[in-house]
Amino acid sequence: KKEATVSITVVGASGDLAKKKIFPALFALYYEDFLPEHFTIFGYARSKLTDEELRDMISMTLTCRIDQRENCSDKMERFLQRCFYHSGQYGSEESFQELDKRLKEKEAGRLPNRLFYLSVPPNIFVDVVRCASRYASSPTGWTRVIVEKPFGRDSESSRELTRCLKQYLAEDQIFRIDHYLGKELVENLSVLRFSNLVFEPLWSRQYIRNVQLIFSEDFGTEGRGGYFDSYGIIRDIMQNHLLQILALFAMETPVSLDAEDIRNEKVKVLRSMRNLELDDVVVGQYKGHTKGGTTYPSYTDDPTVKKNSLTPTFAAAALFIDNARWDGVPFLMKAGKALHTRRAEIRVQFRHVPGNLYKCNFGSDLDKATNELVIRVQPDEAIYLKINNKVPGLGMRLDCSTLNLLYSSRYPSEIPDAYERLLLDAIEGERRLFIRSDELEAAWSLFTPLLKELESKKIAPELYPFGSRGPVGAHYLAAKHNVRWGDLS
Ligand code: BG6
């Protein structure tokens, strides 16, 4: 049997994502010996660079894990020697034929497997896929293509993109990335739930009052306004990252850990979601101000954003899953840029204890006695559970205390970046953490009518100051469902 080799071509090699995430993740995999013995990396882009220039460019963002013994710069050098550059237009047949020749040279007669990472704007996805699949796919091994969102901007465009991609690739060759699925604590969700008897039986409307999925960033669009302005926060974060977490959180127990079994369950959740109405959402946009001598810009100060843009940089939404397990439980999502902090977390608020013997110890506010499970995805990864406890002493005072699994204390080694997990899975053909086309379709069906309504009715976003906790409308939305945002209480 022939030895296999993997060639990884990063298309859009000079872009930000490639420099900041993809090459560093590939190096981290190499550094920790996760890449196959025989591999080659090609950067592909339009600019005319030499192999050396590519190496110089990517070496700036490569870092070594602290706890490694081996000399980092040696290993980096060896990695860089396996990186090459190919310059070409994205839709150029000749250029992909040339690339094919270069790949063949490097493969040196071994069984060739080829992975293409599309780190390019969506309007050139199809051109690249057409050329790569026709002229540079592996003749005898596998060919896989990783694509990054946006996968369209509504149901129709997404369906069209899927249709076009499928002219050249089979579904099992397409790896649609949602990098949140590669985050350690998101991956851990099903371990937490399905391997702990103390959680699984509680995971339903019987015991859970509401679930909150929160994403906040403490910076604005920072030069990405051009992309962001035609998508907005609902498409950028909710329709993918938060909805994916929701599906994993709420799915029924899959038959097995097999990718198809898991994704079948996720699709069922997505298809059981109630239609979103305008009343179920609040949208906001950040506005600038000056504080302590520092000036914070408005969203519309970004030169790449339209001056009168109504694009939301913040949104909160109340979603419901109309199935037996979750009937009536609000799943509240909140996502925003330019807020007071950077954080992504899942908060699970449990019901009140029926006939609580100690209710008088909580005064009139029983919500204070609610058990809450918090899964902090980032930063400072942690899982903590708020419980009620007696304050030691002769009196009877209760205290809401926390059982805290803080990753930095429990697991001292560095947590791999999401892209490391996902690239490794794509190389190994593991599809569990990638989005299948029917999941994508269901996710768009949920948000498309709402997005169209917001846009056709030109709903003006509520302005909120840069660095604040977001628009006050988000509190009213939660209150309407008897919920308090856990991150604010
Ligand atoms: C991306 C969004 O998908 O996720 C960005 O397009 C956002 O707007 C980013 O900043 C957040 O990712 P992370 O991993 O830094 O939380």
Side-chain angles (χ1 to χ4, degrees):
K1 202 177 148 197
K2 271 208 230 171
E3 272 191 303
T5 175
V6 178
S7 306
I8 303 163
T9 305
V10 180
V11 186
S14 43
D16 245 22
L17 180 76
K19 281 192 274 191
K20 287 192 189 144
K21 294 290 185 183
I22 304 170
F23 289 115
L26 288 169
F27 174 60
L29 290 175
Y30 174 71
Y31 196 45
E32 308 224 359
D33 294 329
F34 280 112
L35 288 187
E37 188 186 342
H38 302 290
F39 76 91
T40 309
I41 296 175
F42 266 87
Y44 185 116
R46 284 172 305 186
S47 12
K48 299 247 175 296
L49 298 183
T50 60
D51 293 342
E52 266 321 309
E53 282 166 328
L54 173 86
R55 290 172 189 154
D56 286 347
M57 181 180 86
I58 62 184
S59 65
M60 320 273 251
T61 53
L62 305 186
T63 53
C64 296
R65 292 268 145 76
I66 316 153
D67 61 346
Q68 296 287 321
R69 287 128 309 224
E70 192 165 350
N71 185 329
C72 179
S73 49
D74 286 358
K75 204 138 186 187
M76 210 177 268
E77 202 36 53
R78 263 179 281 143
F79 173 80
L80 290 171
Q81 289 312 314
R82 294 167 82 162
C83 296
F84 303 89
Y85 185 75
H86 189 76
S87 156
Q89 296 299 319
Y90 293 123
S92 155
E93 302 180 355
E94 298 76 46
S95 179
F96 276 87
Q97 284 164 343
E98 280 297 312
L99 174 71
D100 184 59
K101 277 196 210 136
R102 292 187 69 189
L103 291 175
K104 282 205 176 96
E105 275 166 30
K106 308 286 175 218
E107 287 157 355
R110 298 193 179 89
L111 175 70
N113 293 317
R114 296 185 182 174
L115 176 65
F116 292 87
Y117 196 122
L118 266 56
S119 177
V120 288
N123 57 334
I124 39 188
F125 280 178
V126 180
D127 271 347
V128 175
V129 166
R130 180 175 49 85
C131 293
S133 68
R134 286 202 177 144
Y135 305 108
S137 63
S138 166
T140 45
W142 51 253
T143 301
R144 297 179 187 140
V145 177
I146 302 183
V147 269
E148 276 274 349
K149 75 170 208 309
F151 309 123
R153 54 189 316 284
D154 52 24
S155 292
E156 293 77 31
S157 50
S158 163
R159 222 171 277 143
E160 178 59 13
L161 178 63
T162 304
R163 192 190 63 76
C164 292
L165 293 181
K166 288 197 176 170
Q167 289 180 332
Y168 308 105
L169 298 170
E171 173 66 21
D172 68 2
Q173 293 181 284
I174 307 174
F175 286 67
R176 297 179 192 81
I177 267 201
D178 182 312
H179 78 283
Y180 265 64
L181 291 182
K183 297 208 182 243
E184 187 61 44
L185 272 86
V186 175
E187 209 196 339
N188 185 55
L189 258 179
S190 77
V191 177
L192 184 72
R193 182 177 162 198
F194 297 123
S195 71
N196 288 295
L197 190 68
V198 292
F199 292 127
E200 175 50 21
L202 306 185
W203 225 252
S204 74
R205 64 190 300 279
Q206 257 187 302
Y207 300 104
I208 291 180
R209 208 147 61 102
N210 66 76
V211 181
Q212 305 177 13
L213 305 155
I214 300 173
F215 167 97
S216 71
E217 276 180 342
D218 54 2
F219 48 90
T221 43
E222 296 191 336
R224 287 178 74 232
Y227 149 79
F228 192 86
D229 204 45
S230 51
Y231 287 89
I233 200 80
I234 298 179
R235 293 184 177 92
D236 191 45
I237 304 291
M238 278 192 172
Q239 182 270 352
N240 34 68
H241 304 331
L242 295 188
L243 191 60
Q244 282 297 321
I245 296 180
L246 182 148
L248 271 180
F249 180 97
M251 70 183 182
E252 296 299 313
T253 315
V255 175
S256 76
L257 292 175
D258 184 80
E260 298 317 316
D261 288 334
I262 294 177
R263 296 186 298 180
N264 287 345
E265 294 308 329
K266 285 168 65 198
V267 175
K268 284 190 212 156
V269 175
L270 298 176
R271 293 181 51 202
S272 310
M273 308 226 27
R274 192 184 298 172
N275 291 342
L276 270 166
E277 307 286 338
L278 217 44
D279 283 355
D280 301 323
V281 260
V282 168
V283 287
Q285 190 184 83
Y286 63 87
K287 64 165 193 269
H289 58 105
T290 304
K291 197 172 154 193
T294 310
T295 302
Y296 298 92
S298 290
Y299 171 63
T300 48
D301 289 341
D302 185 323
T304 53
V305 165
K306 290 188 291 305
K307 285 291 150 242
N308 56 353
S309 171
L310 296 178
T311 300
T313 58
F314 174 99
L319 297 100
F320 289 87
I321 306 171
D322 286 336
N323 67 12
R325 184 183 287 272
W326 297 113
D327 191 16
V329 178
F331 282 75
L332 291 188
M333 284 184 182
K334 182 162 75 168
K337 294 201 171 264
L339 294 172
H340 72 298
T341 187
R342 172 172 176 261
R343 185 187 295 164
E345 63 187 12
I346 308 164
R347 302 186 85 101
V348 188
Q349 296 187 343
F350 291 89
R351 291 191 182 279
H352 298 150
V353 176
N356 192 340
L357 268 183
Y358 291 97
K359 58 173 171 282
C360 59
N361 299 72
F362 294 103
S364 57
D365 193 357
L366 262 190
D367 277 0
K368 287 202 181 126
T370 298
N371 293 130
E372 191 175 28
L373 173 69
V374 183
I375 298 160
R376 192 161 62 221
V377 176
Q378 68 186 32
D380 303 329
E381 291 81 350
I383 301 173
Y384 57 95
L385 178 63
K386 293 193 189 167
I387 59 156
N388 299 303
N389 204 46
K390 178 180 167 299
V391 177
L394 299 180
M396 178 51 78
R397 208 153 53 76
L398 298 203
D399 169 43
C400 177
S401 211
T402 302
L403 301 177
N404 196 355
L405 171 59
L406 186 61
Y407 272 46
S408 59
S409 337
R410 180 75 181 102
Y411 308 109
S413 56
E414 201 179 316
I415 296 178
D417 187 78
Y419 282 90
E420 293 172 41
R421 153 97 286 142
L422 294 168
L423 275 160
L424 182 60
D425 280 3
I427 292 168
E428 292 182 344
E430 170 56 78
R431 294 173 179 80
R432 208 161 19 105
L433 301 178
F434 294 88
I435 318 288
R436 209 167 59 185
S437 63
D438 52 347
E439 283 184 79
L440 180 64
E441 169 91 31
W444 275 122
S445 314
L446 177 63
F447 279 100
T448 298
L450 171 80
L451 287 161
K452 291 211 160 138
E453 209 177 339
L454 278 168
E455 282 156 10
S456 65
K457 294 193 170 149
K458 299 199 171 9
I459 303 290
E462 205 178 313
L463 297 177
Y464 61 95
F466 193 118
S468 69
R469 290 167 183 262
V472 54
H475 300 274
Y476 296 129
L477 178 72
K480 199 167 92 184
H481 297 284
N482 279 324
V483 179
R484 278 188 215 172
W485 290 105
D487 59 330
L488 303 181
S489 51

